[in-house]
Amino acid sequence: MAGFLPISPEETRALGWEQVDIVCVTGDAYVDHPSFGMAIVSRELEALGYKVAVLAQPDWKSDRDFTKFGRPRLGFFVNGGNIDSMVNNYTAAKRKRHDDSYSPGNVAGRRPDRSLITYCNKIREIYPDIPIVIGGLEASLRRFAHYDYWDDAVRPSILIDSKADLLIYGMGEKQTAEIARRLALGEDPKAIRDIRGTCYLCQQFELPQDAVTCASFHRVSVDKEAHARACRQQLDEHDHVYGKTVVQKQDERYLVQNPPMEPLNQEELDQVFDLPFQRMYHPIYEAQGGVKAIEEVEFSIMHNRGCFGHCNFCSIAFHQGRQVTCRSEESILKEAKSFLSNPRFKGYIHDVGGPTANFRRPSCDKQLKYGLCKNRKCLGTNPCPNLIVDHTEYIDLLQKLRKIKGVKKVFVRSGLRFDYIMKDKNDDFMRELIEHHISGQLKVAPEHCSNNVLEMMGKPPIQVYERFVKKFYKITQEVGKEQYLVPYLMSSHPGSTVKDALELALFLKKNNMRPEQVQDFYPTPGTVSTCMFFTGINPLTMEPVYVPRTMEEKRFQRALLQYYKPENRRIIIEALIKIGREDLIGTGKDCLVPPDREYIAYRRAKSETAPRTRAVSPSKAGGKRAGKKPAGKHTSKRVKDR
């Protein structure tokens, strides 16, 4: 297909290729857009002169797809997809998802669980000695022994289970180019052990000198304090300036993580975005309904990488790193102007963002020479006094984008750090944002209101958010706009009790906020918060952390955040009785939910008589069914995990 890389033997033959150099395998549909990791890798390899074929969402139950290009000359580069395959396949409640925005027709089931492992094992079965290189988010975040939420157990490095030769962690452009070059020179992949940003397996006698050793797979599986300390060591060495080699015993072999690769500089990042992406899914998917994931990104612009915000529940810092790198203004404007020739472009740039939209520089100049501080965050609970806050360049960029003839509107939809905005010495950016770049609603992420929980999240105190809200609506009124804030909120994060969830519910009620979207904490691999969830220890302080684990408590916390929904009333009443806050059940202005006398009596009787007698539920006694929906049409939306 013209413009796209070949996805079939017929297309490789049409190009006159007798043999493919590299087959790029991905768990996503083939979308040739720079927001898709495999698109970047395949286009980079193409630019370096390699013959690259794309194998997207292969049928893992047979050999057919993995052999259709024949044996590639250099090997397979395998990526599980844009997000971890288990997160993609299951909800936070471990229920199978019915949709998949990275698959054609938005239909689930096109990728296996643990897709990276499954694909690599199939390749190794067919070609026992062929080089296999893994990368992307699934590989990067599972490079060490890690807690796996779906197994509820610690798994070894994904290098062990995948049987791959090399693992690329981080964004990977430089590693990819160097590995391909050395494979082309005929080097054995098992001998390629000196490239930054990669991991490999070796025997004890082959271990490098002066490495940091963290607790073994076996030990972190059974010793939670050791697990937390290992997590902290891995985070501490994740800096390209001072990070050391890290070693962890797996079985009889050792995982060796080389120091991180330095991030791309601005010129190199510009070159990545100048590759000939088609910025669309492959036409083969059109008859199946297309690929939904393209909708938000086709006419969005990613202007930076990295995030020094480093929220504890977020994987970006452990994958992309904390140092921010930005594209040049010229590169961004060139991309925006390219939209004008696209017949699908209606004049609206949907987003100008990145991991954090309003970061256009590193957090301080010191880090360029010395790296980011090991023992503190740039933002969060106590912002660093050396933090430099400057929105000038971002304002200038947004102004130039909206002056492009043919561009009607430029939006910034999400990903803004409101605490960074509030550290700015003036209101110029906030005024510019409110006046020109919001489409009626702006999504921000306070996540909670309990300062204890926010500290566990690595987020700023709620007072910062309250000041932001006050200023937002003041400026909104001044410029004559009707715009609203939509808060992201999270329930059941480590550190959060039912009483903390109640505090948030009362905060929401007081401020007339009725969130439609609430995210249950999802323990994804490689994050500080997931370490807390498994160990009950904060690895940054080694202090104990309360962890809500039971489905009942998670149900209470989620319901409290949506206190206004009739279907949540009885769950909330049960929670309030349990924590001794029946004073909040009633019709007064300070009450959270209206009474349900029959249900309250049932709950009390059940509590008082158990286990001697069995209380009869109101539904069995002819009363209302618990959780019954109100009359009329009712729709519920499953919120996609952020």
Side-chain angles (χ1 to χ4, degrees):
M1 184 65 65
F4 288 84
L5 292 170
I7 63 169
S8 70
E10 293 76 20
E11 291 176 358
T12 61
R13 287 194 292 270
L15 292 168
W17 297 356
E18 293 183 5
Q19 185 181 27
V20 169
D21 291 329
I22 295 169
V23 174
C24 288
V25 185
T26 178
D28 295 332
Y30 176 26
V31 182
D32 193 28
H33 187 280
S35 65
F36 284 70
M38 189 50 79
I40 292 177
V41 168
S42 58
R43 285 297 182 186
E44 179 192 20
L45 290 168
E46 177 198 37
L48 292 170
Y50 299 103
K51 298 172 183 175
V52 182
V54 174
L55 180 56
Q57 297 190 321
D59 177 5
W60 65 94
K61 297 172 185 175
S62 75
D63 296 353
R64 185 183 62 254
D65 285 349
F66 295 92
T67 58
K68 68 181 182 181
F69 296 109
R71 181 187 174 99
R73 183 172 69 92
L74 300 181
F76 289 86
F77 282 51
V78 188
N79 175 313
N82 257 19
I83 60 177
D84 187 275
S85 58
M86 298 302 286
V87 177
N88 193 84
N89 288 353
Y90 296 90
T91 70
K94 300 185 182 180
R95 297 191 183 100
K96 263 285 192 186
R97 297 192 193 277
H98 301 295
D99 55 4
D100 180 354
S101 61
Y102 292 94
S103 291
N106 199 31
V107 177
R110 292 289 295 269
R111 80 184 75 221
D113 290 351
R114 311 191 190 285
S115 58
L116 199 62
I117 294 171
T118 303
Y119 295 155
C120 290
N121 285 345
K122 176 57 72 172
I123 294 166
R124 186 61 76 212
E125 177 187 315
I126 300 167
Y127 304 110
D129 59 342
I130 200 155
I132 301 176
V133 181
I134 58 175
L137 196 70
E138 188 163 348
S140 191
L141 299 182
R142 295 176 179 268
R143 60 190 186 263
F144 290 103
H146 55 281
Y147 172 71
D148 184 271
Y149 176 59
W150 305 271
D151 280 355
D152 192 25
V154 175
R155 293 180 68 96
S157 167
I158 198 166
L159 259 179
I160 295 287
D161 288 334
S162 68
K163 304 174 186 175
D165 297 296
L166 284 168
L167 182 154
I168 294 173
Y169 71 92
M171 296 306 288
E173 288 93 351
K174 292 183 179 181
Q175 300 96 302
T176 296
E178 181 62 9
I179 291 169
R181 184 185 73 82
R182 290 168 66 170
L183 289 174
L185 290 173
E187 288 194 41
D188 184 337
K190 291 181 173 55
I192 301 176
R193 294 180 169 181
D194 59 340
I195 300 174
R196 280 177 163 261
T198 63
C199 300
Y200 62 90
L201 296 170
C202 71
Q203 299 296 323
Q204 185 175 15
F205 71 90
E206 300 174 293
L207 288 173
Q209 300 297 312
D210 303 321
V212 172
T213 301
C214 61
S216 68
F217 160 58
H218 172 72
R219 189 172 173 199
V220 300
S221 300
V222 298
D223 183 339
K224 293 188 176 181
E225 185 173 327
H227 189 109
R229 291 192 187 281
C231 174
R232 174 63 186 267
Q233 287 177 296
Q234 293 155 16
L235 287 169
D236 283 350
E237 302 305 329
H238 191 66
D239 188 280
H240 75 280
V241 176
Y242 57 74
K244 297 179 181 178
T245 300
V246 182
V247 169
Q248 185 181 52
K249 186 177 182 183
Q250 300 295 313
D251 42 30
E252 73 282 358
R253 294 166 293 176
Y254 288 76
L255 173 82
V256 179
Q257 175 189 274
N258 288 325
M261 179 65 79
E262 64 270 14
L264 300 182
N265 60 34
Q266 188 170 89
E267 182 181 358
E268 291 167 334
L269 192 56
D270 285 353
Q271 289 172 358
V272 168
F273 282 83
D274 204 32
L275 292 169
F277 300 104
Q278 296 300 295
R279 302 188 66 87
M280 194 56 178
Y281 52 77
H282 194 283
I284 196 173
Y285 304 123
E286 198 64 55
Q288 302 171 61
V291 181
K292 187 176 176 61
I294 194 65
E295 294 176 4
E296 282 298 312
V297 300
E298 184 182 7
F299 300 117
S300 293
I301 296 174
M302 192 184 312
H303 73 89
N304 63 7
R305 273 189 185 175
C307 180
F308 56 76
H310 191 193
C311 298
N312 289 339
F313 51 80
C314 181
S315 61
I316 291 171
F318 200 50
H319 179 59
Q320 293 191 12
R322 290 192 290 157
Q323 183 171 307
V324 171
T325 305
C326 296
R327 294 168 62 192
S328 70
E329 187 178 272
E330 293 74 22
S331 172
I332 295 164
L333 293 174
K334 180 181 177 181
E335 182 177 355
K337 289 173 184 175
S338 74
F339 296 166
L340 302 175
S341 60
N342 190 322
R344 295 185 298 274
F345 184 60
K346 306 302 180 185
Y348 299 95
I349 296 177
H350 296 155
D351 199 5
V352 182
T356 294
N358 52 322
F359 290 174
R360 279 292 293 172
R361 55 157 293 125
S363 54
C364 71
D365 294 331
K366 180 182 174 183
Q367 68 184 249
L368 299 175
K369 182 178 180 180
Y370 299 105
L372 285 105
C373 300
K374 277 189 181 184
N375 57 354
R376 71 167 301 141
K377 292 177 181 286
C378 304
L379 274 172
T381 308
N382 297 300
C384 178
N386 294 321
L387 177 68
I388 297 173
V389 180
D390 187 357
H391 287 96
T392 306
E393 188 177 320
Y394 193 37
I395 293 172
D396 184 60
L397 174 63
L398 292 171
Q399 288 174 342
K400 287 180 178 176
L401 284 169
R402 68 174 189 259
K403 287 178 182 176
I404 296 173
K405 188 176 180 180
V407 172
K408 298 176 183 177
K409 197 78 174 177
V410 179
F411 296 118
V412 179
R413 293 192 182 272
S414 63
L416 291 166
R417 282 294 295 238
F418 63 83
D419 49 342
Y420 188 74
I421 294 172
M422 295 305 292
K423 295 289 288 184
D424 204 336
K425 60 184 179 293
N426 59 55
D427 296 337
D428 293 351
F429 172 66
M430 198 161 176
R431 190 171 292 274
E432 187 83 7
L433 177 74
I434 290 168
E435 196 163 358
H436 298 287
H437 300 289
I438 298 175
S439 60
Q441 296 180 336
L442 177 66
K443 295 176 181 177
V444 287
E447 303 292 359
H448 216 282
C449 77
S450 165
N451 284 335
N452 173 61
V453 179
L454 290 168
E455 185 175 359
M456 293 300 104
M457 292 178 167
K459 299 288 288 185
I462 192 59
Q463 291 78 13
V464 179
Y465 178 69
E466 289 176 316
R467 292 198 298 273
F468 173 78
V469 171
K470 186 176 180 180
K471 183 174 286 189
F472 176 88
Y473 285 113
K474 178 177 178 290
I475 297 175
T476 297
Q477 188 175 31
E478 288 173 359
V479 301
K481 296 271 189 176
E482 185 177 350
Q483 296 177 152
Y484 302 93
L485 293 173
V486 177
Y488 284 130
L489 299 170
M490 187 183 296
S491 63
S492 302
H493 186 276
S496 177
T497 65
V498 176
K499 289 183 179 179
D500 289 314
L502 174 60
E503 182 183 344
L504 180 52
L506 294 172
F507 174 85
L508 296 172
K509 186 173 189 294
K510 176 185 173 183
N511 290 282
N512 299 311
M513 297 164 67
R514 295 190 165 195
E516 282 296 322
Q517 294 187 346
V518 175
Q519 173 64 56
D520 287 335
F521 170 65
Y522 204 153
T524 56
T527 71
V528 172
S529 297
T530 297
C531 177
M532 292 184 198
F533 178 85
F534 173 59
T535 65
I537 299 169
N538 182 347
L540 305 180
T541 64
M542 294 306 294
E543 295 176 350
V545 179
Y546 174 79
V547 179
R549 297 187 187 279
T550 67
M551 292 308 296
E552 179 187 62
E553 182 167 2
K554 291 180 180 182
R555 184 170 58 100
F556 287 164
Q557 292 206 29
R558 184 180 179 88
L560 280 163
L561 272 56
Q562 294 178 311
Y563 64 91
Y564 61 91
K565 290 191 171 184
E567 62 267 32
N568 286 341
R569 181 170 64 156
R570 287 187 168 177
I571 302 172
I572 293 171
I573 288 173
E574 187 176 350
L576 293 174
I577 291 172
K578 194 153 193 168
I579 61 175
R581 291 303 308 270
E582 292 182 54
D583 58 300
L584 295 174
I585 305 169
T587 55
K589 65 182 181 66
D590 295 327
C591 293
L592 196 61
V593 288
D596 185 329
R597 291 183 177 84
E598 185 179 14
Y599 185 67
I600 293 171
Y602 158 67
R603 292 303 305 171
R604 284 176 179 162
K606 185 176 181 181
S607 175
E608 291 169 2
T609 60
R612 292 188 302 274
T613 60
R614 185 177 177 185
V616 180
S617 74
S619 60
K620 292 183 178 179
K624 282 187 177 181
R625 178 166 52 88
K628 186 176 180 181
K629 297 174 183 176
K633 186 176 180 181
H634 178 87
T635 58
S636 62
K637 298 179 181 178
R638 180 179 63 73
V639 179
K640 195 83 171 155
D641 293 287
R642 298 199 306 281

